[in-house]
Amino acid sequence: MKTSVRKGLLIAGLLSATVFGSFSSGALTVAAASQQGVVKADVLNVRSAASINSSIVMQVKHNQAVHILDQKSGWTKIQSGKKTGWVKSSYLNVKQVTAAALKTAKVNASSLNVRSTPSTSGKVVMTLKRNASVTLMKTQNGWSQVSASGKTGWVNAKYLTASGTPAAPAPVKTEEKRVTAETLNIRATAASNGKVLASLKKNEIVTVLKTQGTWSNIKTSKGITGWAASQYLGSVTAPPAVETPAGFAYLNTDSNIRSGPGTSSPVILTLKTGTKLQTFEKQKDWTKVKIPDGRTGWVSNKLISAGQIETPVPESPTGVLTGKVIVVDAGHGGYDPGTRGSFTLEKSLTLTSSQLLVKKLQNEGANVKFTRNSDTYPLLSERAALSNKSKADAFISIHYDSGGLKATGISTFYYTFAKDSLLASKVHQNVLAAVKLPDRKASYKNLQVLRENKYPSILVELGFLSNPAEERLITTFDYQEKATNGIVQGLKSYFTK
């Protein structure tokens, strides 16, 4: 079977966690390196194409080793057994395997046939001479799979003498970072005068491939690779802060709203006298405000009159949630980031939403338990087990969706119709009423965290991070308030059934 050295490397990596080499009648060489991946998720769907809408061709499990064939746009093509397919790259730990990690052997016969299959009936693809060096791939029923000089095949194992096992190399380490500057240039070289290849915005996520002095070699979500100043890259584990308004203010006159705190900053737009604005931080004589279209800007303190902080008048408590055991599950976490937007990791936003929801439920008198309260990853089975152990009256798993740049709306999922569908319907309808996003329905879905749950349980997708406009909306404080209020009202409605 003729093949290139690289193709041989790719195929063998899956079969035996080693790399194909090549045949030769003399001293033989092998290709430099290939990549392997280890599955991080409990169960990972492998799809026919690099899209969540494509069909599932197989599933791989936690800690299963696979071989990496290709990568593009946040997806990785893998091989497991004889099957290939695509998975989200965020669910794999990738490591480099080099030829130096492989076992080698020498031929101890005067002449040795290399066959296409591990059988004397296999086609002879090459003949090796005594003392020819080969790379050992695997052994099967007295036969060894070997490689050299661009070819692979099988030989009778008794005609090989092992020549040692070099130490395996350390895996190549990569790290995700968040852009901390308002704008960060990616350059062709590790120098401030290097050609600018692209620019990134604050909070965008990048992968650091290596560092050199004060520079980092990075790869963006769009696949662009280049150099950026390391000082402008920060930790990605902390969720982006959801700003809490300090109060509100009114414009005293028609006023310019600027992109920064100063008259030298560009004007975003001009607003009319009397416009009401949410206020945030202050810098000297300027106040950061939220304008009606959801963007933020800065206005001179001379142009506004501050109002008092608005505190909504709480509804009279009905007591319907008092004493109810409610488990709140912040989806993903730890090594599992979930999906991602242009500046948001799902695991961070689910934690923000869940912590806000927990406080509101506690204020209603509920006995709230949470599967995680920090950046950790409880297994899906452990999340369901907490609900079962607690004999939960309701289990709510919080997630955010991915499905294309224009995908939008709210989805809610349940597993058992009789046990879960009423809870799903009540929460779904109240969240829709609160956030005013399109209805993607409450429906059945076979999800482990619901399937293994003995008590009423649902999973709510609170909007699409893959849609840039929706990402900007759902990460706002206002949206988080509305969405979690909708869940609380949905639970109240469910328990008064």
Side-chain angles (χ1 to χ4, degrees):
M1 178 176 63
K2 293 203 177 236
T3 182
S4 67
V5 177
R6 182 173 294 278
K7 185 174 181 182
L9 284 167
L10 292 173
I11 298 172
L14 173 67
L15 295 175
S16 59
T18 54
V19 184
F20 280 156
S22 30
F23 293 116
S24 158
S25 58
L28 307 179
T29 59
V30 291
S34 70
Q35 286 184 315
Q36 293 176 358
V38 177
V39 178
K40 298 193 293 186
D42 289 327
V43 178
L44 181 58
N45 291 329
V46 183
R47 299 183 181 274
S48 59
S51 167
I52 61 170
N53 298 319
S54 60
S55 60
I56 297 173
V57 297
M58 62 175 166
Q59 290 183 321
V60 288
K61 297 182 178 180
H62 184 60
N63 281 333
Q64 184 172 336
V66 297
H67 204 77
I68 294 174
L69 306 180
D70 193 12
Q71 291 180 308
K72 67 176 183 180
S73 302
W75 289 80
T76 298
K77 189 175 184 180
I78 66 167
Q79 183 174 357
S80 180
K82 295 182 179 180
K83 293 184 178 181
T84 63
W86 293 85
V87 299
K88 291 298 289 291
S89 303
S90 56
Y91 295 111
L92 290 178
N93 278 324
V94 179
K95 66 178 182 178
Q96 201 85 353
V97 177
T98 67
L102 304 178
K103 293 182 180 180
T104 58
K106 288 189 176 183
V107 176
N108 58 31
S110 59
S111 179
L112 180 60
N113 289 330
V114 182
R115 299 181 182 275
S116 59
T117 59
S119 166
T120 54
S121 61
K123 179 182 176 181
V124 176
V125 296
M126 186 72 166
T127 299
L128 299 175
K129 296 180 180 180
R130 184 185 296 275
N131 291 325
S133 297
V134 297
T135 300
L136 295 175
M137 310 316 307
K138 64 184 294 186
T139 300
Q140 175 180 314
N141 299 325
W143 289 77
S144 293
Q145 188 178 45
V146 297
S147 66
S149 293
K151 293 183 180 180
T152 62
W154 296 84
V155 299
N156 192 315
K158 68 183 180 181
Y159 297 119
L160 294 176
T161 301
S163 56
T165 306
V172 175
K173 293 183 178 180
T174 61
E175 183 179 10
E176 288 187 327
K177 292 284 189 177
R178 185 188 301 278
V179 176
T180 58
E182 294 296 331
T183 303
L184 180 61
N185 289 330
I186 302 175
R187 299 183 181 273
T189 58
S192 56
N193 60 355
K195 179 182 177 182
V196 176
L197 304 176
S199 294
L200 299 173
K201 295 182 179 180
K202 187 173 183 177
N203 286 325
E204 285 195 53
I205 306 299
V206 299
T207 301
V208 176
L209 306 176
K210 61 181 179 179
T211 58
Q212 179 179 310
T214 60
W215 292 82
S216 293
N217 187 227
I218 64 173
K219 185 176 182 180
T220 72
S221 59
K222 295 180 180 179
I224 299 172
T225 301
W227 293 87
S230 302
Q231 62 180 313
Y232 300 119
L233 299 173
S235 172
V236 79
T237 56
V242 177
E243 289 188 289
T244 303
F248 68 94
Y250 296 96
L251 293 178
N252 298 327
T253 184
D254 293 357
S255 304
N256 290 332
I257 308 299
R258 298 181 179 273
S259 61
T263 54
S264 61
S265 298
V267 174
I268 298 174
L269 81 170
T270 301
L271 295 176
K272 298 292 185 181
T273 303
T275 301
K276 182 180 179 181
L277 304 170
Q278 283 185 325
T279 60
F280 296 89
E281 64 178 291
K282 294 181 182 292
Q283 285 191 22
K284 296 184 178 179
D285 297 327
W286 293 79
T287 297
K288 188 176 183 181
V289 296
K290 184 176 182 180
I291 57 182
D293 65 5
R295 291 179 293 169
T296 58
W298 294 81
V299 63
S300 170
N301 293 343
K302 299 176 182 179
L303 303 177
I304 57 175
S305 296
Q308 295 179 348
I309 296 177
E310 292 184 306
T311 304
V313 178
E315 298 179 3
S316 300
T318 63
V320 69
L321 296 183
T322 301
K324 297 296 184 184
V325 178
I326 300 174
V327 177
V328 177
D329 173 40
H332 306 284
Y335 63 73
D336 177 8
T339 190
R340 67 183 66 200
S342 61
F343 61 87
T344 310
L345 292 180
E346 183 184 3
K347 68 173 184 177
S348 300
L349 194 56
T350 61
L351 184 59
T352 296
S353 305
S354 297
Q355 290 172 333
L356 189 58
L357 177 59
V358 166
K359 290 179 181 179
K360 293 183 178 189
L361 292 173
Q362 289 173 335
N363 289 339
E364 293 286 341
N367 178 9
V368 187
K369 300 181 182 296
F370 37 80
T371 57
R372 70 181 183 98
N373 197 31
S374 60
D375 188 26
T376 58
Y377 180 77
L379 295 175
L380 298 180
S381 57
E382 294 173 339
R383 301 175 196 234
L386 175 63
S387 178
N388 295 335
K389 180 180 179 181
S390 305
K391 299 181 179 180
D393 294 298
F395 173 96
I396 312 290
S397 186
I398 307 296
H399 285 255
Y400 288 86
D401 223 333
S402 177
L405 297 176
K406 295 183 179 180
T408 180
I410 303 296
S411 303
T412 304
F413 298 108
Y414 59 84
Y415 181 72
T416 303
F417 184 85
K419 173 172 67 73
D420 306 325
S421 63
L422 180 60
L423 175 61
S425 175
K426 295 293 187 181
V427 170
H428 185 76
Q429 292 303 320
N430 277 275
V431 171
L432 284 176
V435 302
K436 311 298 184 186
L437 285 180
D439 182 3
R440 297 178 68 92
K441 308 300 181 184
S443 59
Y444 162 85
K445 195 167 187 179
N446 186 1
L447 300 170
Q448 183 181 355
V449 76
L450 304 181
R451 185 178 64 247
E452 296 182 1
N453 214 310
K454 299 177 183 178
Y455 296 89
S457 53
I458 62 172
L459 185 149
V460 187
E461 300 272 10
L462 293 174
F464 281 81
L465 287 173
S466 59
N467 179 333
E470 194 150 295
E471 179 187 14
R472 289 193 295 271
L473 170 66
I474 63 184
T475 53
T476 63
F477 176 81
D478 184 58
Y479 183 89
Q480 293 291 309
E481 279 284 309
K482 290 177 179 178
T484 50
N485 283 341
I487 295 174
V488 172
Q489 292 304 316
L491 286 167
K492 286 183 177 181
S493 178
Y494 170 72
F495 287 117
T496 55
K497 58 185 183 290

